Amino acid sequence: MRTANTHKNMARCAATATLACVLGLGLAAPAYADTASDLAAARTKLEQIGTQTQQIYDELATQTQALDQTAGEITQKQQEIADGQAKLSTYVAGEYKTGGLSLLQVLTGVDDLSDMLNRLFYYGKVSDKQAQTIQEVKELKQQLTDKQAEQEKNVATTQKKVDELNAQQAEAQNVVNSLDSQLQAELAAEAEANAALQAGINASTAEKATVSNETAGTTEKTNNGGQTSNNNNQGGNTPAPTPAPAPTPQPSTPAPAPTPSAPSQSVDGGSVVSRAYSKLGCAYSWGGIGPNSFDCSGFVSYCLTGRYCRLGTTGTFMGWTRVSDPQPGDVVVNSYHTGIYIGGGQMIHASDYNTGVIISSVAAGMNNNYIFVRY
């Protein structure tokens, strides 16, 4: 019987060890790492396109304003031409040169040859001057018209760039939305898997306790059976005197197990921020807890404790006490990212593989979806 129980207990121990090993392997690599990295890269690309779009919009506005100004100048020159032509038509010399008057009409009333020559010279000079002025204005108008055509061409080219950037921005936003939805689904699946793993761990712990209790019970029965056998082997009809019971040894009281420390509520914000600044420029690595590379939760854990350890994941941090008046040293967090708030709407965080530990605005780093918590 003892041999059978021993084999049974050994089999249970082996099964428990195997389960623990499988559970440990299951927790090694979170499934959403690649999606989170892709999402961060997609958000960075979207921000870059937004910056380019704003710049090209400013350029288009400047070009459109210049085109409107040129159109106004052309209208002004056209009016000057019309005024000049109207003025020229009032001169008799102009009428005469275009056939409006006969030579006899121009010379009517001339007293002498000198008067005739003076009349012809005066009307000719006035006419030539007006014609020259009109021609100059016409040439200037043509220059403005050519300039207007070039400006219209530039505006059309810039508008095409605006349309292309708007299309790129819409496409990038779709990618961000798709990756964000994918990440949320993976996080939900990860949470469900973690719950199942935790249930397995609890079952494994209960199995270990059962194996331990059964082993202790078997050992106790075996010892008692040996004592009964010795008593039955005593010879004679007169029972041997019952020996005085030996004093039962009292088990020593085990020392109490240390109580796990709860999160400190008096972490110095200045120290947290100082640690965050000291790691600027360090590389990003998934699962990194320092000293030279971190992931986002590993970086926050170091800043809060000063130790290269992991307090938990973003899911852990989101369960901490929320604050509505964040102070430097508080934690900014959402379901997939976290960092240290340094004030002024800024944060330090382990961003991604391309940038490592950087300073950025909270809104840009968290995509306007975040809470503040205090450790």
Side-chain angles (χ1 to χ4, degrees), residues 91-94 96-97 101-127:
Y91 290 101
V92 175
Y96 164 68
K97 287 187 175 184
L101 295 174
S102 67
L103 179 61
L104 180 61
Q105 290 174 311
V106 173
L107 298 179
T108 298
V110 174
D111 296 332
D112 53 29
L113 179 61
S114 176
D115 185 27
M116 178 189 71
L117 293 176
N118 286 338
R119 286 190 181 190
L120 291 175
F121 177 79
Y122 171 74
Y123 290 128
K125 284 294 184 181
V126 171
S127 175

Side-chain angles (χ1 to χ4, degrees), residues 90-371:
T90 63
Y91 290 101
V92 175
E95 294 291 337
Y96 164 68
K97 287 187 175 184
T98 59
L101 295 174
S102 67
L103 179 61
L104 180 61
Q105 290 174 311
V106 173
L107 298 179
T108 298
V110 174
D111 296 332
D112 53 29
L113 179 61
S114 176
D115 185 27
M116 178 189 71
L117 293 176
N118 286 338
R119 286 190 181 190
L120 291 175
F121 177 79
Y122 171 74
Y123 290 128
K125 284 294 184 181
V126 171
S127 175
D128 290 343
K129 181 64 175 177
Q130 290 299 317
Q132 180 182 357
T133 300
I134 292 172
Q135 183 60 33
E136 290 174 353
V137 174
K138 285 183 176 180
E139 291 174 355
L140 181 56
K141 177 193 172 186
Q142 184 59 47
Q143 293 175 6
L144 290 172
T145 302
D146 295 341
K147 179 180 178 181
Q148 183 184 44
E150 184 65 24
Q151 288 175 331
E152 289 175 346
K153 180 180 178 181
N154 292 338
V155 167
T157 300
T158 304
Q159 183 63 55
K160 183 178 180 181
K161 293 180 181 178
V162 169
D163 295 340
E164 291 174 352
L165 284 172
N166 284 336
Q168 294 177 19
Q169 190 172 34
E171 182 179 356
Q173 185 64 61
N174 288 337
V175 172
V176 168
N177 293 342
S178 176
L179 286 173
D180 188 60
S181 298
Q182 181 180 344
L183 180 61
Q184 296 304 322
E186 290 179 0
L187 286 171
E190 187 77 11
E192 184 177 353
N194 286 340
L197 289 173
Q198 187 61 51
I201 292 173
N202 294 340
S204 174
T205 303
E207 181 71 12
K208 285 181 179 179
T210 301
V211 170
S212 178
N213 291 337
E214 290 183 359
T215 302
T218 300
T219 302
E220 181 179 356
K221 289 179 180 179
T222 301
N223 292 336
N224 289 338
Q227 181 178 357
T228 302
S229 176
N230 290 336
N231 290 338
N232 292 336
N233 289 334
Q234 297 295 330
N237 295 326
T238 304
T242 303
T248 303
Q250 298 296 323
S252 59
T253 304
T259 302
S261 58
S264 169
Q265 299 300 319
S266 59
V267 174
D268 178 59
S271 299
V272 174
V273 172
S274 178
R275 294 187 195 110
Y277 271 103
S278 72
K279 295 300 180 180
L280 282 174
C282 284
Y284 177 93
S285 65
W286 181 258
I289 57 173
N292 298 318
S293 63
F294 301 86
D295 63 8
C296 62
S297 56
F299 173 73
V300 169
S301 297
Y302 164 72
C303 294
L304 293 175
T305 65
R307 293 180 285 109
Y308 300 115
C309 64
R310 186 178 300 280
L311 293 174
T313 64
T314 54
T316 305
F317 303 160
M318 290 186 71
W320 291 354
T321 303
R322 297 190 183 190
V323 293
S324 58
D325 57 337
Q327 302 298 317
D330 285 341
V331 177
V332 55
V333 63
N334 58 24
S335 59
Y336 56 85
H337 194 53
T338 185
I340 295 297
Y341 183 62
I342 60 174
Q346 301 288 307
M347 65 184 287
I348 299 179
H349 58 122
S351 178
D352 54 37
Y353 290 101
N354 294 327
T355 56
V357 179
I358 60 170
I359 298 177
S360 71
S361 68
V362 173
M366 307 300 288
N367 197 30
N368 293 317
N369 178 24
Y370 54 87
I371 61 173

